[in-house]
Amino acid sequence: MRSLIDILDFSVEELDELIGVANDIIANPEAYSEKCKGKKLATLFFEPSTRTRLSFEAAMLELGGSVLGFSEANSSSAAKGESVADTAKTISCYADIIAMRHPKEGAPLVASQNASIPVINAGDGGHNHPTQTLADLLTIQREKGGFNNLTVGFCGDLKFGRTVHSLITALSRYEGINVVLISPDELKLPSYVKKDILAKNNIPYKQTTDLESVMPELDILYMTRVQRERFFNEEDYLRLKDSYILEPRKLKNAKPDLCIMHPLPRVNEISVAVDDDPRACYFKQVLNGKYIRMALILKLLEEAKR
Ligand code: NCD
């Protein structure tokens, strides 16, 4: 059974195909409005979410399917001690496809090993978030025309930011990618991502604490929220939370075609004054997230038939 747990589960060709379908849906939404008639998506969210869960649900509804699920761990039998494996087996009796978010790294993988329907990782702890990466890739493709020869700056919480880990992994398969890692020392990219992804694929990268000094080089600036829920103590969070605040004046030396991204939610990292800058792409990411999830649901349900 084909699932999406890690972005590398899909080949570059398959990602191109998904992006192609998403672009076709954007151009021609009516053609897709009944494609999933009679099919059910279960959203199993053991952690808070606005965009990811609702974009999955909107995606399935726009495909003519229906949705069921829960949005809090304590409203499910997890609160009674049920295992992820048993939950996955149970939901397989009710739905055709699962989107799961869980605070434990690897939980969606365990679900996929026990479900008899496709499982989509909608974020597992501080590890991965492959469907945000799909939304990011569709946005980059639409804004930049492709993925080669881009200098991409990641700024903020690179340690716990799962969207960062998954997007870096995805970009490591393209040509001419340069990565600039901008974070406080305490929130640097984990060494396993540096070693297993960046170094292994010979992706040039540098680390800095200073956003403004690298701004002129960037084609893409990917801002992130400091992930409060992954901190061990509140003092560290309070000290680090406002490390970077993107304001219009800091964009003075940025490229005129810089693409400013953020998976959202934002707290303070991007001042609302930046929203009016034509280079701000984060609300486009939100919309693209729905279309690419429509393409993903179609692909996995199609493969499940085989
Ligand atoms: C991200 C996540 O959940 O990792 N949000 C999202 O899905 N768009 C980013 C975040 O919470 O900071």
Side-chain angles (χ1 to χ4, degrees):
M1 182 62 54
R2 196 85 195 273
S3 285
L4 173 61
I5 304 302
D6 185 296
I7 195 67
L8 296 179
D9 292 345
F10 285 172
S11 67
V12 167
E13 293 70 33
E14 285 180 304
L15 293 181
D16 284 346
E17 211 180 289
L18 272 184
I19 290 169
V21 172
N23 279 319
D24 193 56
I25 297 171
I26 293 171
N28 202 2
E30 314 78 49
Y32 291 84
S33 65
E34 303 217 331
K35 291 264 188 205
C36 288
K37 216 168 158 190
K39 296 289 179 191
K40 282 173 280 176
L41 164 77
T43 50
L44 313 184
F45 277 59
F46 297 86
E47 253 195 356
S49 168
T50 298
R51 273 150 295 272
T52 304
R53 184 171 63 85
L54 295 181
S55 68
F56 265 115
E57 296 190 355
M60 191 51 156
L61 295 174
E62 288 190 27
L63 291 167
S66 37
V67 296
L68 65 164
F70 53 81
S71 53
E72 277 181 88
N74 59 15
S75 68
S76 78
S77 280
K80 301 180 187 169
E82 185 169 61
S83 68
V84 164
D86 284 359
T87 302
K89 285 182 186 154
T90 301
I91 306 302
S92 298
C93 304
Y94 305 146
D96 300 285
I97 184 164
I98 291 172
M100 176 186 276
R101 168 169 291 188
H102 203 287
K104 282 215 183 97
E105 280 130 30
L109 175 64
V110 171
S112 72
Q113 290 162 341
N114 288 278
S116 53
I117 57 177
V119 176
I120 300 167
N121 177 4
D124 63 328
H127 189 215
N128 280 331
H129 193 345
T131 67
Q132 180 62 45
T133 298
L134 295 178
D136 299 342
L137 291 176
L138 177 60
T139 306
I140 295 171
Q141 189 272 332
R142 289 177 69 85
E143 297 300 313
K144 295 283 171 199
F147 307 110
N148 295 326
N149 305 316
L150 294 171
T151 297
V152 187
F154 291 89
C155 178
D157 187 346
L158 311 188
K159 180 177 181 189
F160 297 117
R162 56 193 174 194
T163 66
V164 170
H165 309 156
S166 291
L167 182 54
I168 288 180
T169 304
L171 291 174
S172 71
R173 293 190 288 188
Y174 298 97
E175 297 294 318
I177 295 289
N178 269 289
V179 169
V180 183
L181 303 168
I182 309 138
S183 75
D185 281 337
E186 293 94 329
L187 299 178
K188 279 188 183 156
L189 191 72
S191 53
Y192 81 89
V193 184
K194 280 186 233 164
K195 203 164 122 251
D196 300 345
I197 306 295
L198 292 172
K200 196 166 156 200
N201 293 290
N202 298 315
I203 307 288
Y205 71 93
K206 66 177 172 191
Q207 302 190 93
T208 176
T209 54
D210 183 9
L211 173 58
E212 274 163 278
S213 69
V214 294
M215 189 68 89
E217 304 164 30
L218 305 179
D219 298 303
I220 293 172
L221 171 58
Y222 196 96
M223 296 295 295
T224 61
R225 172 180 72 89
V226 176
Q227 307 278 298
R228 180 181 204 159
E229 64 275 37
R230 317 255 180 251
F231 275 68
F232 293 111
N233 70 68
E234 184 74 0
E235 297 92 86
D236 285 350
Y237 169 71
L238 293 173
R239 185 166 48 80
L240 294 167
K241 73 181 175 65
D242 290 327
S243 300
Y244 301 97
I245 300 177
L246 187 64
E247 291 163 338
R249 67 178 174 82
K250 296 191 183 162
L251 288 162
K252 227 176 34 249
N253 298 320
K255 288 189 180 173
D257 62 347
L258 171 70
C259 176
I260 305 168
M261 300 176 70
H262 191 308
L264 303 181
R266 79 173 138 190
V267 183
N268 265 336
E269 318 75 61
I270 303 183
S271 113
V272 289
V274 175
D275 298 2
D276 296 329
D277 191 305
R279 294 170 289 189
C281 293
Y282 28 95
F283 287 105
K284 292 183 186 168
Q285 277 170 275
V286 174
L287 186 59
N288 290 335
K290 180 183 71 179
Y291 292 120
I292 201 81
R293 288 181 175 102
M294 289 172 79
L296 175 65
I297 291 169
L298 282 172
K299 177 179 171 66
L300 291 177
L301 286 179
E302 195 52 48
E303 295 204 14
K305 277 194 215 153
R306 291 190 198 139

